[in-house]
Amino acid sequence: MRFFTGVLLALSLCAGAVSAQDSSATPSELRTLQTGFDVRGLSGIGRLNIDNRIMCSGSLIADDLVLTAAHCLFDPESGQPFEPADIEFLADLRLGRPSATRHASHIALLPEYSPGAADRLQIEHDIALLQLNSPIQSFTISPFALGQSPGPGEDVGIISYAKNRAESPALQDRCHVTAREGLALILTCTVDSGSSGAPVLQIEDGVATVVSVVSALGELENQKVAITTVLDGRVELLMAEIEALPPSTSRGTRRLIQITPDQPDSGGARFLRP
C-alpha cells in the first residue's frame, strides 16, 4: 500500500501539530504515569528541552545515549542545527520533577537525513542519537532494550510527553500498525505536540522494547494517524559514530540491549499493563 500518496503530514510535532485521535476499533486510552509504580520498566522515557523553547520526547537506550527524532534537533525557523549544549534531557520526568537531568554532548544523525525535506525521505531517516555529558546511573532508571520492527496488523504502544501533558508522560499500551512502506509506519496511536522522538513499544511476553520512533502526525481517510520510522539496525550506525569519537569524549564501549525472536528476555524493560 503506497500510503504516502494519501497521507497529509504535519511533520513538526514539537511545534504545534494537531492532536491525533486513535482510529483503532478497540484502542486503549492514554494513561498518565505519575508514580514510581506507574513507570516500573518504563523509566527510560524522558523529555527533551531544546533551546528553552522546543519540547520533544526521547528514550534512554544506554546510560548515556538517548534515542529521539532528528527533526527535533533543528531550529524550525532557520533550519540550523542546535548545539548539543542547548539540548537538555529530563529523565523520568514525573509531576514536573526529573529523576536525573543531563545535557547533550554529541548529536549523531543518519547521513541520509535532510532537515529541509518535508516528505517521506525525511520521515524514513528521522532518528537521532544523543550522547549525554555524563552517564545516568540510577537504580530507578532503566534504559530500554531495542526490538524488531513490527509489521502491519501488529499491536504496539507509545509512551510520550506532549503539550497538554508536559510534566508527566502518558502511556497508550495498545494501538496498532496499519501499514508500512519502506522504513516508515502508519500507526493508530495517539500523538500530539511534543510526542516527536517518543519510543514506539512492542510487547512480547510482558517485555517492552523500542521498535520505532515517532516522527510526524498525519491524516489518512479522515482519520488522524501517527507516522513513525523503524530502527532496522540504524541505531548501531549512529552508535558507531559516537564510539569513533576521541576516548575522552566517547567514554568507551557500550552494549545495547537487544531483544530478538530467539532471545525473548535479556533483562530489558518490563512492561506492566494498567
Side-chain angles (χ1 to χ4, degrees), residues 139-160:
F139 291 112
T140 63
I141 300 177
S142 300
F144 284 103
L146 301 181
Q148 303 299 301
S149 298
E154 294 189 53
D155 288 336
V156 293
I158 287 181
I159 179 172
S160 69

mmCIF file with all atom_site columns, all heavy atoms in Angstrom, residues 139-160:
data_model
loop_
_atom_site.group_PDB
_atom_site.id
_atom_site.type_symbol
_atom_site.label_atom_id
_atom_site.label_alt_id
_atom_site.label_comp_id
_atom_site.label_asym_id
_atom_site.label_entity_id
_atom_site.label_seq_id
_atom_site.pdbx_PDB_ins_code
_atom_site.Cartn_x
_atom_site.Cartn_y
_atom_site.Cartn_z
_atom_site.occupancy
_atom_site.B_iso_or_equiv
_atom_site.pdbx_formal_charge
_atom_site.auth_seq_id
_atom_site.auth_comp_id
_atom_site.auth_asym_id
_atom_site.auth_atom_id
_atom_site.pdbx_PDB_model_num
ATOM 1   N N   . PHE A 1 139 ? 19.423 3.320  40.165 1.00 0.00 ? 139 PHE A N   1
ATOM 2   C CA  . PHE A 1 139 ? 18.650 2.102  40.353 1.00 0.00 ? 139 PHE A CA  1
ATOM 3   C C   . PHE A 1 139 ? 17.199 2.274  39.890 1.00 0.00 ? 139 PHE A C   1
ATOM 4   O O   . PHE A 1 139 ? 16.497 1.295  39.652 1.00 0.00 ? 139 PHE A O   1
ATOM 5   C CB  . PHE A 1 139 ? 18.681 1.678  41.823 1.00 0.00 ? 139 PHE A CB  1
ATOM 6   C CG  . PHE A 1 139 ? 20.021 1.189  42.283 1.00 0.00 ? 139 PHE A CG  1
ATOM 7   C CD1 . PHE A 1 139 ? 20.761 1.915  43.193 1.00 0.00 ? 139 PHE A CD1 1
ATOM 8   C CD2 . PHE A 1 139 ? 20.555 0.012  41.787 1.00 0.00 ? 139 PHE A CD2 1
ATOM 9   C CE1 . PHE A 1 139 ? 22.007 1.468  43.623 1.00 0.00 ? 139 PHE A CE1 1
ATOM 10  C CE2 . PHE A 1 139 ? 21.803 -0.448 42.204 1.00 0.00 ? 139 PHE A CE2 1
ATOM 11  C CZ  . PHE A 1 139 ? 22.529 0.288  43.126 1.00 0.00 ? 139 PHE A CZ  1
ATOM 12  N N   . THR A 1 140 ? 16.750 3.513  39.768 1.00 0.00 ? 140 THR A N   1
ATOM 13  C CA  . THR A 1 140 ? 15.354 3.754  39.419 1.00 0.00 ? 140 THR A CA  1
ATOM 14  C C   . THR A 1 140 ? 15.143 4.035  37.939 1.00 0.00 ? 140 THR A C   1
ATOM 15  O O   . THR A 1 140 ? 14.005 4.117  37.489 1.00 0.00 ? 140 THR A O   1
ATOM 16  C CB  . THR A 1 140 ? 14.795 4.935  40.234 1.00 0.00 ? 140 THR A CB  1
ATOM 17  O OG1 . THR A 1 140 ? 15.519 6.132  39.898 1.00 0.00 ? 140 THR A OG1 1
ATOM 18  C CG2 . THR A 1 140 ? 14.901 4.665  41.721 1.00 0.00 ? 140 THR A CG2 1
ATOM 19  N N   . ILE A 1 141 ? 16.221 4.182  37.174 1.00 0.00 ? 141 ILE A N   1
ATOM 20  C CA  . ILE A 1 141 ? 16.102 4.476  35.746 1.00 0.00 ? 141 ILE A CA  1
ATOM 21  C C   . ILE A 1 141 ? 16.759 3.358  34.955 1.00 0.00 ? 141 ILE A C   1
ATOM 22  O O   . ILE A 1 141 ? 17.951 3.087  35.115 1.00 0.00 ? 141 ILE A O   1
ATOM 23  C CB  . ILE A 1 141 ? 16.761 5.822  35.391 1.00 0.00 ? 141 ILE A CB  1
ATOM 24  C CG1 . ILE A 1 141 ? 16.101 6.968  36.167 1.00 0.00 ? 141 ILE A CG1 1
ATOM 25  C CG2 . ILE A 1 141 ? 16.660 6.083  33.890 1.00 0.00 ? 141 ILE A CG2 1
ATOM 26  C CD1 . ILE A 1 141 ? 16.747 8.309  35.926 1.00 0.00 ? 141 ILE A CD1 1
ATOM 27  N N   . SER A 1 142 ? 15.978 2.713  34.088 1.00 0.00 ? 142 SER A N   1
ATOM 28  C CA  . SER A 1 142 ? 16.479 1.587  33.296 1.00 0.00 ? 142 SER A CA  1
ATOM 29  C C   . SER A 1 142 ? 16.371 1.906  31.812 1.00 0.00 ? 142 SER A C   1
ATOM 30  O O   . SER A 1 142 ? 15.274 2.215  31.323 1.00 0.00 ? 142 SER A O   1
ATOM 31  C CB  . SER A 1 142 ? 15.673 0.317  33.590 1.00 0.00 ? 142 SER A CB  1
ATOM 32  O OG  . SER A 1 142 ? 15.772 -0.038 34.954 1.00 0.00 ? 142 SER A OG  1
ATOM 33  N N   . PRO A 1 143 ? 17.476 1.849  31.062 1.00 0.00 ? 143 PRO A N   1
ATOM 34  C CA  . PRO A 1 143 ? 17.394 2.041  29.612 1.00 0.00 ? 143 PRO A CA  1
ATOM 35  C C   . PRO A 1 143 ? 16.496 0.987  28.967 1.00 0.00 ? 143 PRO A C   1
ATOM 36  O O   . PRO A 1 143 ? 16.391 -0.144 29.442 1.00 0.00 ? 143 PRO A O   1
ATOM 37  C CB  . PRO A 1 143 ? 18.846 1.890  29.154 1.00 0.00 ? 143 PRO A CB  1
ATOM 38  C CG  . PRO A 1 143 ? 19.667 2.220  30.356 1.00 0.00 ? 143 PRO A CG  1
ATOM 39  C CD  . PRO A 1 143 ? 18.872 1.691  31.523 1.00 0.00 ? 143 PRO A CD  1
ATOM 40  N N   . PHE A 1 144 ? 15.864 1.374  27.873 1.00 0.00 ? 144 PHE A N   1
ATOM 41  C CA  . PHE A 1 144 ? 15.038 0.447  27.112 1.00 0.00 ? 144 PHE A CA  1
ATOM 42  C C   . PHE A 1 144 ? 15.911 -0.483 26.270 1.00 0.00 ? 144 PHE A C   1
ATOM 43  O O   . PHE A 1 144 ? 16.997 -0.112 25.829 1.00 0.00 ? 144 PHE A O   1
ATOM 44  C CB  . PHE A 1 144 ? 14.106 1.203  26.159 1.00 0.00 ? 144 PHE A CB  1
ATOM 45  C CG  . PHE A 1 144 ? 12.933 1.849  26.824 1.00 0.00 ? 144 PHE A CG  1
ATOM 46  C CD1 . PHE A 1 144 ? 12.932 3.213  27.063 1.00 0.00 ? 144 PHE A CD1 1
ATOM 47  C CD2 . PHE A 1 144 ? 11.828 1.110  27.194 1.00 0.00 ? 144 PHE A CD2 1
ATOM 48  C CE1 . PHE A 1 144 ? 11.848 3.826  27.660 1.00 0.00 ? 144 PHE A CE1 1
ATOM 49  C CE2 . PHE A 1 144 ? 10.735 1.709  27.793 1.00 0.00 ? 144 PHE A CE2 1
ATOM 50  C CZ  . PHE A 1 144 ? 10.745 3.076  28.030 1.00 0.00 ? 144 PHE A CZ  1
ATOM 51  N N   . ALA A 1 145 ? 15.404 -1.668 26.029 1.00 0.00 ? 145 ALA A N   1
ATOM 52  C CA  . ALA A 1 145 ? 16.006 -2.571 25.051 1.00 0.00 ? 145 ALA A CA  1
ATOM 53  C C   . ALA A 1 145 ? 15.460 -2.240 23.664 1.00 0.00 ? 145 ALA A C   1
ATOM 54  O O   . ALA A 1 145 ? 14.395 -1.626 23.520 1.00 0.00 ? 145 ALA A O   1
ATOM 55  C CB  . ALA A 1 145 ? 15.686 -4.019 25.408 1.00 0.00 ? 145 ALA A CB  1
ATOM 56  N N   . LEU A 1 146 ? 16.197 -2.643 22.635 1.00 0.00 ? 146 LEU A N   1
ATOM 57  C CA  . LEU A 1 146 ? 15.762 -2.475 21.253 1.00 0.00 ? 146 LEU A CA  1
ATOM 58  C C   . LEU A 1 146 ? 15.175 -3.778 20.745 1.00 0.00 ? 146 LEU A C   1
ATOM 59  O O   . LEU A 1 146 ? 15.732 -4.849 20.988 1.00 0.00 ? 146 LEU A O   1
ATOM 60  C CB  . LEU A 1 146 ? 16.930 -2.050 20.362 1.00 0.00 ? 146 LEU A CB  1
ATOM 61  C CG  . LEU A 1 146 ? 17.643 -0.739 20.737 1.00 0.00 ? 146 LEU A CG  1
ATOM 62  C CD1 . LEU A 1 146 ? 18.752 -0.460 19.729 1.00 0.00 ? 146 LEU A CD1 1
ATOM 63  C CD2 . LEU A 1 146 ? 16.669 0.413  20.818 1.00 0.00 ? 146 LEU A CD2 1
ATOM 64  N N   . GLY A 1 147 ? 14.065 -3.696 20.021 1.00 0.00 ? 147 GLY A N   1
ATOM 65  C CA  . GLY A 1 147 ? 13.405 -4.879 19.494 1.00 0.00 ? 147 GLY A CA  1
ATOM 66  C C   . GLY A 1 147 ? 13.351 -4.879 17.975 1.00 0.00 ? 147 GLY A C   1
ATOM 67  O O   . GLY A 1 147 ? 13.975 -4.052 17.311 1.00 0.00 ? 147 GLY A O   1
ATOM 68  N N   . GLN A 1 148 ? 12.581 -5.806 17.433 1.00 0.00 ? 148 GLN A N   1
ATOM 69  C CA  . GLN A 1 148 ? 12.448 -5.968 15.992 1.00 0.00 ? 148 GLN A CA  1
ATOM 70  C C   . GLN A 1 148 ? 11.315 -5.098 15.452 1.00 0.00 ? 148 GLN A C   1
ATOM 71  O O   . GLN A 1 148 ? 10.323 -4.852 16.127 1.00 0.00 ? 148 GLN A O   1
ATOM 72  C CB  . GLN A 1 148 ? 12.163 -7.439 15.662 1.00 0.00 ? 148 GLN A CB  1
ATOM 73  C CG  . GLN A 1 148 ? 13.229 -8.396 16.185 1.00 0.00 ? 148 GLN A CG  1
ATOM 74  C CD  . GLN A 1 148 ? 14.592 -8.137 15.594 1.00 0.00 ? 148 GLN A CD  1
ATOM 75  O OE1 . GLN A 1 148 ? 14.761 -8.201 14.376 1.00 0.00 ? 148 GLN A OE1 1
ATOM 76  N NE2 . GLN A 1 148 ? 15.561 -7.827 16.432 1.00 0.00 ? 148 GLN A NE2 1
ATOM 77  N N   . SER A 1 149 ? 11.447 -4.667 14.216 1.00 0.00 ? 149 SER A N   1
ATOM 78  C CA  . SER A 1 149 ? 10.438 -3.808 13.610 1.00 0.00 ? 149 SER A CA  1
ATOM 79  C C   . SER A 1 149 ? 9.105  -4.540 13.480 1.00 0.00 ? 149 SER A C   1
ATOM 80  O O   . SER A 1 149 ? 9.071  -5.692 13.043 1.00 0.00 ? 149 SER A O   1
ATOM 81  C CB  . SER A 1 149 ? 10.900 -3.345 12.231 1.00 0.00 ? 149 SER A CB  1
ATOM 82  O OG  . SER A 1 149 ? 12.083 -2.593 12.334 1.00 0.00 ? 149 SER A OG  1
ATOM 83  N N   . PRO A 1 150 ? 7.992  -3.877 13.838 1.00 0.00 ? 150 PRO A N   1
ATOM 84  C CA  . PRO A 1 150 ? 6.677  -4.515 13.719 1.00 0.00 ? 150 PRO A CA  1
ATOM 85  C C   . PRO A 1 150 ? 6.165  -4.442 12.283 1.00 0.00 ? 150 PRO A C   1
ATOM 86  O O   . PRO A 1 150 ? 6.609  -3.617 11.480 1.00 0.00 ? 150 PRO A O   1
ATOM 87  C CB  . PRO A 1 150 ? 5.805  -3.674 14.648 1.00 0.00 ? 150 PRO A CB  1
ATOM 88  C CG  . PRO A 1 150 ? 6.411  -2.298 14.565 1.00 0.00 ? 150 PRO A CG  1
ATOM 89  C CD  . PRO A 1 150 ? 7.906  -2.534 14.429 1.00 0.00 ? 150 PRO A CD  1
ATOM 90  N N   . GLY A 1 151 ? 5.205  -5.295 11.974 1.00 0.00 ? 151 GLY A N   1
ATOM 91  C CA  . GLY A 1 151 ? 4.576  -5.295 10.666 1.00 0.00 ? 151 GLY A CA  1
ATOM 92  C C   . GLY A 1 151 ? 3.116  -4.901 10.752 1.00 0.00 ? 151 GLY A C   1
ATOM 93  O O   . GLY A 1 151 ? 2.556  -4.765 11.838 1.00 0.00 ? 151 GLY A O   1
ATOM 94  N N   . PRO A 1 152 ? 2.463  -4.700 9.607  1.00 0.00 ? 152 PRO A N   1
ATOM 95  C CA  . PRO A 1 152 ? 1.043  -4.335 9.597  1.00 0.00 ? 152 PRO A CA  1
ATOM 96  C C   . PRO A 1 152 ? 0.194  -5.322 10.389 1.00 0.00 ? 152 PRO A C   1
ATOM 97  O O   . PRO A 1 152 ? 0.391  -6.534 10.311 1.00 0.00 ? 152 PRO A O   1
ATOM 98  C CB  . PRO A 1 152 ? 0.694  -4.368 8.107  1.00 0.00 ? 152 PRO A CB  1
ATOM 99  C CG  . PRO A 1 152 ? 1.994  -4.061 7.421  1.00 0.00 ? 152 PRO A CG  1
ATOM 100 C CD  . PRO A 1 152 ? 3.048  -4.743 8.255  1.00 0.00 ? 152 PRO A CD  1
ATOM 101 N N   . GLY A 1 153 ? -0.720 -4.777 11.171 1.00 0.00 ? 153 GLY A N   1
ATOM 102 C CA  . GLY A 1 153 ? -1.604 -5.588 11.990 1.00 0.00 ? 153 GLY A CA  1
ATOM 103 C C   . GLY A 1 153 ? -1.094 -5.877 13.381 1.00 0.00 ? 153 GLY A C   1
ATOM 104 O O   . GLY A 1 153 ? -1.848 -6.330 14.242 1.00 0.00 ? 153 GLY A O   1
ATOM 105 N N   . GLU A 1 154 ? 0.188  -5.620 13.637 1.00 0.00 ? 154 GLU A N   1
ATOM 106 C CA  . GLU A 1 154 ? 0.749  -5.912 14.958 1.00 0.00 ? 154 GLU A CA  1
ATOM 107 C C   . GLU A 1 154 ? 0.422  -4.804 15.947 1.00 0.00 ? 154 GLU A C   1
ATOM 108 O O   . GLU A 1 154 ? 0.332  -3.629 15.593 1.00 0.00 ? 154 GLU A O   1
ATOM 109 C CB  . GLU A 1 154 ? 2.259  -6.099 14.860 1.00 0.00 ? 154 GLU A CB  1
ATOM 110 C CG  . GLU A 1 154 ? 2.682  -7.314 14.052 1.00 0.00 ? 154 GLU A CG  1
ATOM 111 C CD  . GLU A 1 154 ? 4.168  -7.575 14.174 1.00 0.00 ? 154 GLU A CD  1
ATOM 112 O OE1 . GLU A 1 154 ? 4.671  -7.672 15.316 1.00 0.00 ? 154 GLU A OE1 1
ATOM 113 O OE2 . GLU A 1 154 ? 4.840  -7.675 13.124 1.00 0.00 ? 154 GLU A OE2 1
ATOM 114 N N   . ASP A 1 155 ? 0.260  -5.199 17.198 1.00 0.00 ? 155 ASP A N   1
ATOM 115 C CA  . ASP A 1 155 ? -0.025 -4.248 18.268 1.00 0.00 ? 155 ASP A CA  1
ATOM 116 C C   . ASP A 1 155 ? 1.264  -3.593 18.749 1.00 0.00 ? 155 ASP A C   1
ATOM 117 O O   . ASP A 1 155 ? 2.304  -4.250 18.873 1.00 0.00 ? 155 ASP A O   1
ATOM 118 C CB  . ASP A 1 155 ? -0.705 -4.945 19.443 1.00 0.00 ? 155 ASP A CB  1
ATOM 119 C CG  . ASP A 1 155 ? -2.143 -5.331 19.149 1.00 0.00 ? 155 ASP A CG  1
ATOM 120 O OD1 . ASP A 1 155 ? -2.748 -4.688 18.263 1.00 0.00 ? 155 ASP A OD1 1
ATOM 121 O OD2 . ASP A 1 155 ? -2.648 -6.263 19.778 1.00 0.00 ? 155 ASP A OD2 1
ATOM 122 N N   . VAL A 1 156 ? 1.171  -2.303 19.041 1.00 0.00 ? 156 VAL A N   1
ATOM 123 C CA  . VAL A 1 156 ? 2.284  -1.544 19.603 1.00 0.00 ? 156 VAL A CA  1
ATOM 124 C C   . VAL A 1 156 ? 1.726  -0.594 20.655 1.00 0.00 ? 156 VAL A C   1
ATOM 125 O O   . VAL A 1 156 ? 0.516  -0.537 20.897 1.00 0.00 ? 156 VAL A O   1
ATOM 126 C CB  . VAL A 1 156 ? 3.034  -0.740 18.507 1.00 0.00 ? 156 VAL A CB  1
ATOM 127 C CG1 . VAL A 1 156 ? 3.745  -1.672 17.544 1.00 0.00 ? 156 VAL A CG1 1
ATOM 128 C CG2 . VAL A 1 156 ? 2.084  0.188  17.758 1.00 0.00 ? 156 VAL A CG2 1
ATOM 129 N N   . GLY A 1 157 ? 2.601  0.163  21.284 1.00 0.00 ? 157 GLY A N   1
ATOM 130 C CA  . GLY A 1 157 ? 2.187  1.190  22.227 1.00 0.00 ? 157 GLY A CA  1
ATOM 131 C C   . GLY A 1 157 ? 3.151  2.358  22.148 1.00 0.00 ? 157 GLY A C   1
ATOM 132 O O   . GLY A 1 157 ? 4.219  2.251  21.540 1.00 0.00 ? 157 GLY A O   1
ATOM 133 N N   . ILE A 1 158 ? 2.780  3.479  22.735 1.00 0.00 ? 158 ILE A N   1
ATOM 134 C CA  . ILE A 1 158 ? 3.633  4.666  22.755 1.00 0.00 ? 158 ILE A CA  1
ATOM 135 C C   . ILE A 1 158 ? 3.604  5.272  24.148 1.00 0.00 ? 158 ILE A C   1
ATOM 136 O O   . ILE A 1 158 ? 2.549  5.367  24.785 1.00 0.00 ? 158 ILE A O   1
ATOM 137 C CB  . ILE A 1 158 ? 3.176  5.713  21.717 1.00 0.00 ? 158 ILE A CB  1
ATOM 138 C CG1 . ILE A 1 158 ? 3.521  5.253  20.299 1.00 0.00 ? 158 ILE A CG1 1
ATOM 139 C CG2 . ILE A 1 158 ? 3.830  7.068  21.981 1.00 0.00 ? 158 ILE A CG2 1
ATOM 140 C CD1 . ILE A 1 158 ? 3.121  6.231  19.212 1.00 0.00 ? 158 ILE A CD1 1
ATOM 141 N N   . ILE A 1 159 ? 4.771  5.704  24.624 1.00 0.00 ? 159 ILE A N   1
ATOM 142 C CA  . ILE A 1 159 ? 4.872  6.475  25.857 1.00 0.00 ? 159 ILE A CA  1
ATOM 143 C C   . ILE A 1 159 ? 5.545  7.794  25.489 1.00 0.00 ? 159 ILE A C   1
ATOM 144 O O   . ILE A 1 159 ? 6.585  7.797  24.832 1.00 0.00 ? 159 ILE A O   1
ATOM 145 C CB  . ILE A 1 159 ? 5.639  5.713  26.951 1.00 0.00 ? 159 ILE A CB  1
ATOM 146 C CG1 . ILE A 1 159 ? 5.751  6.550  28.221 1.00 0.00 ? 159 ILE A CG1 1
ATOM 147 C CG2 . ILE A 1 159 ? 6.988  5.246  26.481 1.00 0.00 ? 159 ILE A CG2 1
ATOM 148 C CD1 . ILE A 1 159 ? 6.334  5.792  29.408 1.00 0.00 ? 159 ILE A CD1 1
ATOM 149 N N   . SER A 1 160 ? 4.924  8.924  25.888 1.00 0.00 ? 160 SER A N   1
ATOM 150 C CA  . SER A 1 160 ? 5.455  10.212 25.439 1.00 0.00 ? 160 SER A CA  1
ATOM 151 C C   . SER A 1 160 ? 4.973  11.345 26.330 1.00 0.00 ? 160 SER A C   1
ATOM 152 O O   . SER A 1 160 ? 4.051  11.197 27.137 1.00 0.00 ? 160 SER A O   1
ATOM 153 C CB  . SER A 1 160 ? 5.017  10.494 23.997 1.00 0.00 ? 160 SER A CB  1
ATOM 154 O OG  . SER A 1 160 ? 3.616  10.731 23.932 1.00 0.00 ? 160 SER A OG  1
#
